Amino acid sequence: MSILTTVVAGLFYLATATLLVGLTRKVVQYARTPAPLKIPTTPAPVTRTGVVLRMVREVVLFESLFKSSKWTWLFGWLFHFGLFVVLLRHLRYFTEPVWGWVALVQSAGIYAGYAMVIGLAGLWARRVLVDRVRYISAPSDHLMLALLVGIGGSGLLMKYVWHTDVVALKAFVLGLLRLDLSPLPADPLLVIHLLLVACLMFIFPVSKLLHAPGVFFSPTRNQVDNPRERRHVTGEA
Amino acid sequence: MAVKAEFDIPVITNVPRTPALREGAMAHSRPFVAKPDHQEPLGFPGELVEDWHDRAIAKMGELLGSYRSLQVFMDACVKCGACTDKCHYYLGTADPKNMPVARQDLMRKVYRRYFTWAGKYFPWLVGAADLTEEVLEEWYAYYHQCSECRRCSVYCPYGIDTAEITMAGREILDSVGMGQKYSNEIIGKVFRIGNNLGLPEPALADTLEGLEEEVKEETDVDVRFPLDEQGADVLLVTPSADFFAEPHVDGLIGYAKIFHQAGIRWTLSSHASEAANFGLFIGSQGNMQRVALRIREAAMELGVKRIIVGECGHAWRVAYSYWNTLIGPFDFLDPDYPAPQHICEATYDLIRQGALRFNKENNDDKVVTFHDSCNVSRGSRMGSMPGGQFIIPREVIKACCNHFVDMRQETIHEGTFCCGGGGGLLTDDLLELRVKGALPRVQSLGEVIEEYGVTHMAAMCAICKSQFTKVLPYYGMGMDMVVSVHHLVGDALELGTDG
């Protein structure tokens, strides 16, 4: 087995462990921290079902962001939805035989790759061009965009310009899952793509990417507006 | 004619615009610091403690562990900028630190430095910073330029509520001895005397007696203003401003007329002669609970069946959202009525039952618009359905006025702009901030004056009413434009035996 294969495989095991442990710790922290008072941003749903629907609209459609800024919404939604479909497309590397619906989203996944990168470009342009957004941006905010553009860009390049050996790649990925390593194709672009993804997995639990689990725990969005009807008491704190 | 000021009054433009950043534009704005006399009764150190740095960090850790909101909000922001043009203080001052995300970042940079891996090892990368004296000063300045109105939380994709962070910031400042005089002095007055104004029981009794005479003279009807009356059905808890001056007191007269006409036995309480609860503003759950507890005590002692809250924005948020948690359960009250109930809910129910008759013509000299108060709009509800807090007061107004128009859509309902004086900022040492922060509301008020000839803006919050009467003249508008919702009700209500 080449050093490259061993190093990249080792890195992915470590990245996966970091991501899972790190996210679990944060989710447990969020879940354990009490919410002593009722603070839904009203008007808010008055039933649990209503809250679930509000959360679905928030997570799927970015409802609040839509109210707020149409450009940010457009680029943000393009990026996230694109990423989501791209991830679904990538399931083909993890499943053997490939599930039927994963086969179906393959072509959509290509368009999604473009959507993702266009969305990121739009968000980055706002970060540079709008004085208010420029003011609130730290170096890490730019780097995060660079990282994601790097991941999306290297992926698109592999699809259209410098193809990689996807059959060998799939064998490598399945080998990772089965703890029985197969060699990784030594394409520079592929290696870069994978290293950037591992990097993203490492920083996920220690960065603003925590907005992903965080939104589900946001009391202003996940609380039912029923303080008069039901006494809200938290045992802890 | 606009009032003269020592600072530039923002110019009202034809089209509302988002200003370009002016760094440091409001860095000089800071309220008077509380003296030991204001701090100690609330359980805070009298002055800045020597080990403020360690205590502040420890307090921050404690708050992060006790409020999920704070913990999640510190982590979740992605700096998308959606909130940056939503705060009335940013729109009015152009100071970038008045953008909600930047205000949060004043605390977030310290959170990252002391509580996150990235900020400990790569502070320059993630914008983390040590808690220095300059940072503490900055907290003091800018956590007192937020009225905790929650407008930003409506537009944030994660629902990050800057009010929660401002409250945490103020609580940390209080815990190291750097409290704000205005809020803390007032809370002390509530503990000592019973209300924000420091109006003692005999003076209150006197005032109410005077009001009875005034209404008798005007209407020839014996409308009562009972105080501490055992066995009344309703305890009315209202902001003490209602006892004091126009336009507030006309609202109180309106409530009294409603109760009179509906035949409801009601009373005020000298023990709980204040609905306001500034414990909310300083983020102190302990003080908020202590202030609220007087109301439970008064209700039990007087043996009432219902509690109704008068026109006050943050008081209604505290009553609606927190009372049940802090001073409930209300199992000793009549379960047929919501506990607590807003005066607008009570009036609206009576209107629907046909228990009241109005001479709408009495208000024909007015073209009325309505200012949604921030805490009512975004921190509470009225009635049984979401958004009832927008519908019910408007229905009440329309029941007694022939001419009503709303302001521009994105400045009402959940998008309403703060008056500019909420959240413990209604003090003259913050006058510049208050005048500038009122700009977005004044702008949309100006539009309906121009377009529909609006003559009056009704409000249902003591802070809004006080703030507007003070700042409207700076924009060349009359302070007498501001009316209580129940002033309109009281003026149109037909008093009579066959009601």
Side-chain angles (χ1 to χ4, degrees):
Chain A
M1 205 57 58
S2 71
I3 296 180
L4 178 71
T5 303
T6 318
V7 169
V8 173
L11 204 62
F12 265 88
Y13 285 130
L14 199 62
T16 308
T18 309
L19 179 69
L20 291 179
V21 173
L23 269 190
T24 308
R25 281 184 52 182
K26 286 310 283 191
V27 166
V28 168
Q29 179 193 39
Y30 294 157
R32 283 210 179 137
T33 309
L37 296 171
K38 277 280 195 176
I39 58 165
T41 303
T42 58
V46 295
T47 61
R48 200 26 66 199
T49 318
V51 164
V52 170
L53 290 176
R54 180 188 207 179
M55 195 56 88
V56 167
R57 289 197 307 275
E58 207 59 87
V59 171
V60 178
L61 303 173
F62 301 0
E63 184 180 42
S64 297
L65 189 57
F66 186 77
K67 285 182 201 167
S68 171
S69 160
K70 297 292 184 282
W71 283 113
T72 312
W73 175 84
L74 178 68
F75 293 133
W77 194 84
L78 269 180
F79 159 61
H80 282 88
F81 192 70
L83 177 63
F84 176 67
V85 178
V86 165
L87 286 174
L88 293 183
R89 177 176 151 92
H90 278 65
L91 279 177
R92 66 180 175 154
Y93 294 110
F94 294 82
T95 50
E96 183 55 49
V98 172
W99 302 331
W101 64 269
V102 174
L104 284 179
V105 300
Q106 289 307 306
S107 52
I110 298 169
Y111 295 109
Y114 285 116
M116 178 182 154
V117 173
I118 292 169
L120 286 168
L123 291 173
W124 209 344
R126 274 187 65 79
R127 207 170 272 300
V128 175
L129 298 176
V130 180
D131 64 344
R132 302 187 308 279
V133 191
R134 191 166 62 233
Y135 178 87
I136 56 169
S137 300
S140 56
D141 297 311
H142 291 283
L143 278 177
M144 191 70 76
L145 286 164
L147 181 63
L148 289 164
V149 168
I151 291 171
S154 57
L156 284 174
L157 282 176
M158 273 187 284
K159 171 71 194 161
Y160 288 105
V161 187
W162 294 290
H163 299 283
T164 194
D165 182 348
V166 289
V167 177
L169 172 62
K170 176 154 182 174
F172 170 77
V173 175
L174 290 175
L176 274 182
L177 292 177
R178 293 168 188 162
L179 307 178
D180 174 22
L181 292 188
S182 298
L184 174 71
D187 292 331
L189 208 51
L190 175 64
V191 174
I192 290 173
H193 187 70
L194 292 181
L195 288 181
L196 293 178
V197 171
C199 189
L200 187 71
M201 291 164 76
F202 277 118
I203 61 174
F204 203 107
V206 293
S207 69
K208 66 176 184 179
L209 299 179
L210 286 171
H211 69 279
V215 63
F216 295 100
F217 289 93
S218 178
T220 61
R221 293 292 182 269
N222 74 9
Q223 286 187 340
V224 183
D225 175 21
N226 61 356
R228 288 193 292 194
E229 294 82 359
R230 274 186 68 162
R231 188 164 183 239
H232 173 79
V233 202
T234 41
E236 308 156 69
Chain B
M1 203 46 54
V3 172
K4 280 230 172 85
E6 290 166 7
F7 45 86
D8 293 334
I9 297 162
V11 182
I12 299 182
T13 49
N14 282 334
V15 182
R17 56 183 188 89
T18 305
L21 307 184
R22 286 204 298 133
E23 282 194 48
M26 288 301 279
H28 59 278
S29 173
R30 77 200 281 279
F32 296 144
V33 177
K35 299 205 167 63
D37 287 355
H38 311 133
Q39 287 281 94
E40 282 154 7
L42 280 62
F44 303 134
E47 51 192 24
L48 190 64
V49 293
E50 220 156 84
D51 56 342
W52 58 267
H53 175 275
D54 296 354
R55 279 218 221 176
I57 297 299
K59 186 72 185 177
M60 190 191 259
E62 182 194 318
L63 295 178
L64 286 164
S66 351
Y67 291 97
R68 184 184 297 160
S69 53
L70 186 64
Q71 177 62 59
V72 171
F73 296 165
M74 283 290 112
D75 282 334
C77 177
V78 300
K79 316 292 175 83
C80 72
C83 61
T84 55
D85 56 352
K86 303 299 185 285
C87 174
H88 53 290
Y89 290 122
Y90 174 70
L91 295 173
T93 69
D95 188 320
K97 288 190 176 130
N98 279 330
M99 299 188 296
V101 47
R103 195 186 313 285
Q104 299 160 19
D105 277 351
L106 295 176
M107 182 171 295
R108 193 174 283 118
K109 66 183 178 185
V110 176
Y111 164 73
R112 286 186 169 168
R113 185 77 179 106
Y114 294 83
F115 296 93
T116 71
W117 179 84
K120 264 178 204 156
Y121 299 104
F122 305 99
W124 51 274
L125 188 65
V126 296
D130 288 321
L131 178 59
T132 60
E133 211 163 334
E134 289 76 58
V135 172
L136 197 74
E137 283 293 335
E138 220 172 24
W139 282 12
Y140 192 78
Y142 288 100
Y143 288 130
H144 292 105
Q145 296 189 42
C146 166
S147 56
E148 303 173 347
C149 81
R150 313 189 90 201
R151 189 167 194 266
C152 47
S153 85
V154 170
Y155 299 99
C156 173
Y158 318 110
I160 297 175
D161 179 7
T162 312
E164 292 289 307
I165 292 159
T166 292
M167 288 171 191
R170 293 184 187 175
E171 199 178 6
I172 295 171
L173 288 165
D174 272 327
S175 76
V176 300
M178 209 171 161
Q180 181 220 26
K181 175 175 178 257
Y182 172 69
S183 294
N184 292 4
E185 184 179 26
I186 278 180
I187 296 172
K189 269 190 215 163
V190 174
F191 291 153
R192 219 169 48 250
I193 304 166
N195 51 60
N196 286 14
L197 289 180
L199 202 64
E201 195 265 340
L204 179 57
D206 240 29
T207 304
L208 296 175
E209 211 171 292
L211 287 176
E212 283 181 2
E213 284 163 19
E214 191 186 317
V215 176
K216 170 83 177 169
E217 221 164 89
E218 208 171 288
T219 64
D220 210 29
V221 179
D222 284 307
V223 174
R224 299 196 52 228
F225 289 76
L227 181 65
D228 295 328
E229 212 159 271
Q230 280 291 334
D233 288 331
V234 167
L235 168 64
L236 177 79
V237 189
T238 203
S240 56
D242 284 358
F243 306 130
F244 183 63
E246 287 182 341
H248 313 270
V249 71
D250 301 306
L252 177 62
I253 293 171
Y255 320 148
K257 286 181 178 172
I258 291 285
F259 290 135
H260 171 90
Q261 195 57 20
I264 294 170
R265 287 193 59 203
W266 68 291
T267 185
L268 291 155
S269 155
S270 57
H271 180 58
S273 51
E274 179 63 67
N277 191 332
F278 280 26
L280 174 74
F281 297 157
I282 62 166
S284 167
Q285 202 179 314
N287 279 296
M288 185 159 75
Q289 186 165 29
R290 201 175 143 200
V291 170
L293 202 53
R294 300 163 309 121
I295 291 155
R296 182 188 175 88
E297 290 161 358
M300 295 189 90
E301 197 186 300
L302 294 166
V304 296
K305 301 194 182 85
R306 301 163 62 184
I307 306 177
I308 293 181
V309 180
E311 295 181 11
C312 182
H314 82 280
W316 179 241
R317 181 179 182 195
V318 173
Y320 173 85
S321 292
Y322 306 151
W323 273 5
N324 205 0
T325 299
L326 296 177
I327 59 167
F330 291 110
D331 42 14
F332 58 94
L333 297 176
D334 185 343
D336 287 344
Y337 295 93
Q341 193 176 27
H342 193 280
I343 184 71
C344 285
E345 290 181 312
T347 302
Y348 181 61
D349 282 351
L350 292 169
I351 292 172
R352 286 208 303 183
Q353 289 159 17
L356 307 171
R357 278 212 312 243
F358 293 105
N359 257 331
K360 292 167 100 170
E361 293 71 28
N362 292 359
N363 284 318
D364 270 356
D365 56 331
K366 305 181 183 77
V367 180
V368 179
T369 191
F370 176 64
H371 167 71
D372 289 288
S373 297
C374 46
N375 276 295
V376 176
S377 302
R378 295 182 284 256
S380 77
R381 171 163 53 101
M382 287 181 202
S384 54
M385 67 170 183
Q389 67 269 39
F390 312 132
I391 299 163
I392 288 175
R394 284 176 173 78
E395 287 306 312
V396 168
I397 294 172
K398 286 183 205 161
C400 42
C401 298
N402 280 317
H403 312 297
F404 174 82
V405 292
D406 256 319
M407 289 181 273
R408 191 157 28 90
Q409 187 58 39
E410 63 268 28
T411 72
I412 58 170
H413 295 185
E414 67 173 357
T416 188
F417 277 110
C418 169
C419 61
L425 307 181
L426 189 76
T427 171
D428 284 352
D429 37 324
L430 292 173
L431 189 59
E432 178 183 1
L433 179 77
R434 288 168 53 190
V435 171
K436 291 181 172 174
L439 174 71
R441 171 44 80 224
V442 172
Q443 177 109 37
S444 50
L445 174 60
E447 290 164 11
V448 286
I449 292 176
E450 185 95 343
E451 195 165 336
Y452 303 104
V454 161
T455 60
H456 288 79
M457 177 165 62
M460 50 170 176
C461 167
I463 288 177
C464 298
K465 294 174 209 167
S466 303
Q467 157 76 354
F468 284 131
T469 45
K470 179 90 181 183
V471 303
L472 285 186
Y474 285 87
Y475 291 95
M477 298 175 183
M479 59 190 285
D480 48 6
M481 283 194 74
V482 185
V483 288
S484 298
V485 170
H486 275 78
H487 180 184
L488 300 171
V489 174
D491 277 1
L493 187 67
E494 276 187 36
L495 290 174
T497 42
D498 59 348

